[in-house]
Amino acid sequence: MPETAALAALVVAAVALVIASAQLAQQVFATAYVIRKCDRIVTGGLTKGGTRQWHWRQFRFTVKYQTAVFSLPYHVYDSLGINCSVRVGSPAGDMWQRAVKQWWERRNPAQACWVSFVQDLAACNCLGPRELGTREESGDRIPDDLTVAPTRVDSITILLSCVALGMQVYRYSPTTGEITISGKIGSISSSAHPVLGGLVHYSDISDPSIPGWLSLEKQHSRALRQSQGVWANAVFGRFRDITYRTAMIPLMDLMRRQVPILQANGWPETEGIPIADSIHGAACFMALGHVDVSEVIPPSVSRLWAAHFAETIVKSHQREVFEGLQNPVQNDGAMQLQDSFEAEKAGVEMRRCSSPYSGEWVKDAMSLTTLIQHMETRNGSASHMMSTKSMLNHLGPHTAFVTELRTLMADPSSYCPLEILWDQICAADAICRRIPMVTHGRDLDSWANKIIVNAISQLANDGPPSWGFVADKLRTWPLVLATACNEVLDEVEDTNFLNSVPRRQAIRLLAQTRLLRSAYVTVMMRAAPPLGPGLDENSPIETSLAYMA
């Protein structure tokens, strides 16, 4: 009997030991429970999943995991005058390749939203291999109320990337952690977390199977990473005019410089009209003739200042080029100019930025004398010199471009491909770089401005859409421009400069080229979609550290 009692006690003790051991094991393994929030399912295979590490002294597991960290090229932040709150230490080019491959092949529905966001940015070229890396994080820092491990992000990187992806900004206040952005790619929302602070969530709806998906977004994304930050600054309405300052400054400051010129040359003051058609809209038009322009202008807080009469000038120019194709002699001259400009454009494409003042004025084979001779073959009209190859490729008799061109109510900002707008701007800048701005006495720039103001003042009452009397405007615009040139040039002393180049012809060439340049830049600005109500001209350029989960 005592032996039976002892055996029973031994069994009970053994069972208690097993239960106690199981409870102990459960508590120990519970210290590594957080690994479920950062395993390979959560990271989507983009980074390594979490790993456990046993600590004898603490008698528990700790978890470490890798997250993806990303930023724009650092010079973009420098041009904006801010510091990025996230730094990529060691770029991971292989991870960038995996992100692009996963975007096309598969996307794990259980993966963290930051994985989906990185995949979208990499696929659209918002991120390059050098702007994407990994960061080791501790599982102890993952709050209990989060279901997935977060990663660190920079607020303005999120903003600019989403704008490049075609989203609209509804709220952006990084200091308070309020960010709301949405578009066809996906949406961004934020909340204030008691531990992490700003917490950002991304919901993707991208579908790579749609034909032509992301073609426009890729153009903006490539321009976003431009080395001098021209695209990124344009979002906030900041441009660079190196004849004024070398730094990026608000477009409003550049417009204020043009208002006295407009007033001095008789620009009509009209009350009760949209701001785009006011003297400030004309000042914006004038200022855009001088600023650096990236290969595509982004949605910008300055879009509302884009003057509507630019549409009339662009469409008139395109029609004039189309009609000029019927003259073989004139067409041959235009082809010679195109070959010269295409060769020069290679350097512009490397910078992804065009400026009428990049370096000293050009002294190559396509000299100023040659340009003026081409202009004289068209009775003083310089429009044929900007008939770029991309435009001629779209001027076939049965193309959609020509169909829209013949439609009186068509808006160039809606039918004109960005390739044409960019090439026209580059061609205008190539011409401007061949004209020295200052000569004896009054400089060419002042005379050219007077011609431009006298000409566009005839379009002062154009409003949206600017085709109320489009047939008359398109017919009479070449004559209006020619009359404005002749009236101003009658005041100019007929002397020669720069190897016997006639001064009056140089002013005529500069005025017409800059007029077309301003018009095409304005149309490109109008072609971009609205930025959204979350940013305006008074919005500060600011950023902060946030987390995405």
Side-chain angles (χ1 to χ4, degrees):
M1 193 70 181
E3 295 179 357
T4 304
L7 181 62
L10 180 62
V11 172
V12 172
V15 172
L17 177 62
V18 170
I19 294 174
S21 299
Q23 290 176 339
L24 176 62
Q26 182 182 18
Q27 293 298 320
V28 169
F29 282 106
T31 61
Y33 174 78
V34 74
I35 199 170
R36 299 180 59 183
K37 301 182 179 183
C38 54
D39 59 15
R40 291 185 63 86
I41 296 176
V42 172
T43 63
L46 188 64
T47 62
K48 295 188 299 184
T51 57
R52 301 181 184 91
Q53 185 176 1
W54 174 253
H55 292 268
W56 282 103
R57 292 185 178 180
Q58 300 178 16
F59 205 70
R60 72 183 184 96
F61 285 103
T62 59
V63 174
K64 289 185 177 181
Y65 65 97
Q66 276 189 348
T67 62
V69 291
F70 56 91
S71 70
L72 301 174
Y74 295 141
H75 48 67
V76 175
Y77 304 103
D78 294 339
S79 70
L80 292 168
I82 59 175
N83 293 317
C84 180
S85 57
V86 174
R87 291 279 174 172
V88 178
S90 299
D94 56 338
M95 184 168 65
W96 183 86
Q97 295 174 352
R98 285 199 304 273
V100 175
K101 184 178 180 180
Q102 291 171 359
W103 189 84
W104 284 102
E105 292 182 354
R106 62 183 176 84
R107 178 170 284 181
N108 186 344
Q111 68 189 21
C113 67
W114 53 264
V115 178
S116 301
F117 192 63
V118 167
Q119 290 170 346
D120 285 345
L121 295 187
C124 297
N125 296 325
C126 281
L127 295 179
R130 298 186 61 83
E131 288 93 54
L132 181 60
T134 59
R135 179 184 175 89
E136 293 284 344
E137 296 281 5
S138 171
D140 292 342
R141 298 181 180 273
I142 303 178
D144 294 336
D145 57 346
L146 295 185
T147 58
V148 297
T151 189
R152 304 183 184 199
V153 294
D154 179 72
S155 296
I156 205 166
T157 303
I158 299 293
L159 171 70
L160 293 175
S161 300
C162 289
V163 172
L165 293 177
M167 302 187 197
Q168 287 197 330
V169 183
Y170 294 95
R171 180 171 295 180
Y172 179 72
S173 179
T175 55
T176 60
E178 296 176 288
I179 303 176
T180 305
I181 310 172
S182 66
K184 69 177 183 180
I185 303 295
S187 63
I188 291 283
S189 59
S190 66
S191 61
H193 192 274
V195 177
L196 300 178
L199 186 63
V200 181
H201 182 75
Y202 174 65
S203 299
D204 69 281
I205 55 175
S206 54
D207 184 0
S209 64
I210 301 177
W213 184 255
L214 299 182
S215 57
L216 176 61
E217 286 73 16
K218 286 185 177 181
Q219 287 182 280
H220 283 282
S221 298
R222 187 174 71 163
L224 164 61
R225 302 168 62 236
Q226 194 268 340
S227 61
Q228 297 165 331
V230 174
W231 188 96
N233 278 271
V235 171
F236 295 95
R238 287 157 44 101
F239 295 84
R240 181 175 59 188
D241 176 0
I242 65 173
T243 64
Y244 180 48
R245 293 180 186 173
T246 57
M248 298 287 181
I249 60 176
L251 181 61
M252 286 297 298
D253 292 351
L254 298 175
M255 290 165 55
R256 292 188 189 99
R257 298 179 64 221
Q258 303 298 329
V259 170
I261 299 174
L262 290 161
Q263 293 172 334
N265 290 283
W267 180 270
E269 290 281 3
T270 307
E271 300 293 336
I273 61 175
I275 58 175
D277 305 303
S278 66
I279 190 171
H280 297 289
C284 175
F285 179 89
M286 299 277 290
L288 293 179
H290 300 261
V291 301
D292 293 359
V293 178
S294 60
E295 57 188 326
V296 55
I297 296 180
S300 172
V301 297
S302 300
R303 184 179 184 271
L304 74 166
W305 295 108
H308 295 99
F309 59 74
E311 300 172 353
T312 304
I313 299 172
V314 166
K315 196 162 189 178
S316 176
H317 169 245
Q318 292 171 350
R319 287 195 167 200
E320 192 172 350
V321 172
F322 180 68
E323 294 168 358
L325 292 177
Q326 313 307 318
N327 189 322
V329 176
Q330 295 174 356
N331 192 31
D332 289 342
M335 293 297 292
Q336 295 175 11
L337 291 171
Q338 292 159 19
D339 292 337
S340 176
F341 294 155
E342 285 292 325
E344 186 173 334
K345 186 184 171 187
V348 175
E349 291 289 352
M350 291 180 61
R351 297 188 302 271
R352 299 178 189 168
C353 170
S354 187
S355 169
Y357 310 109
S358 57
E360 297 183 357
W361 58 279
V362 183
K363 309 173 186 178
D364 64 2
M366 187 56 62
S367 64
L368 181 58
T369 302
T370 306
L371 292 173
I372 289 178
Q373 289 173 351
H374 280 291
M375 183 176 66
E376 292 303 312
T377 62
R378 295 291 297 268
N379 298 320
S381 173
S383 62
H384 70 292
M385 288 194 242
M386 288 176 60
S387 55
T388 59
K389 289 185 177 181
S390 59
M391 180 184 288
L392 297 180
N393 290 337
H394 286 81
L395 286 178
H398 304 296
T399 61
F401 181 80
V402 172
T403 301
E404 295 287 351
L405 186 59
R406 289 171 172 168
T407 304
L408 297 183
M409 293 299 294
D411 179 352
S413 64
S414 62
Y415 73 78
C416 198
L418 289 174
E419 176 191 15
I420 291 180
L421 300 177
W422 170 240
D423 284 354
Q424 298 302 112
I425 294 169
C426 291
D429 289 345
I431 296 174
C432 289
R433 286 192 293 268
R434 287 164 169 78
I435 305 175
M437 295 302 168
V438 180
T439 60
H440 303 291
R442 193 172 184 180
D443 63 285
L444 300 187
D445 193 62
S446 298
W447 290 112
N449 282 338
K450 188 170 185 178
I451 291 175
I452 293 172
V453 175
N454 286 356
I456 64 177
S457 62
Q458 306 301 314
L459 305 175
N461 295 323
D462 280 5
S466 54
W467 312 115
F469 304 95
V470 64
D472 294 335
K473 292 288 176 66
L474 291 179
R475 250 194 326 266
T476 60
W477 171 247
L479 178 61
V480 168
L481 179 57
T483 302
C485 288
N486 294 333
E487 289 177 353
V488 173
L489 293 177
D490 286 342
E491 306 174 21
V492 179
E493 184 180 358
D494 191 14
T495 58
N496 293 337
F497 76 102
L498 191 64
N499 299 327
S500 302
V501 173
R503 192 170 183 225
R504 290 181 178 177
Q505 279 87 334
I507 294 173
R508 185 190 298 270
L509 176 62
L510 177 61
Q512 294 187 32
T513 303
R514 185 172 293 164
L515 186 71
L516 287 171
R517 204 259 190 189
S518 295
Y520 275 99
V521 174
T522 302
V523 169
M524 183 185 277
M525 179 182 288
R526 283 176 52 79
L531 182 59
L535 289 177
D536 57 34
E537 292 177 320
N538 297 318
S539 298
I541 301 178
E542 57 185 358
T543 188
S544 66
L545 176 67
Y547 287 83
M548 179 175 283

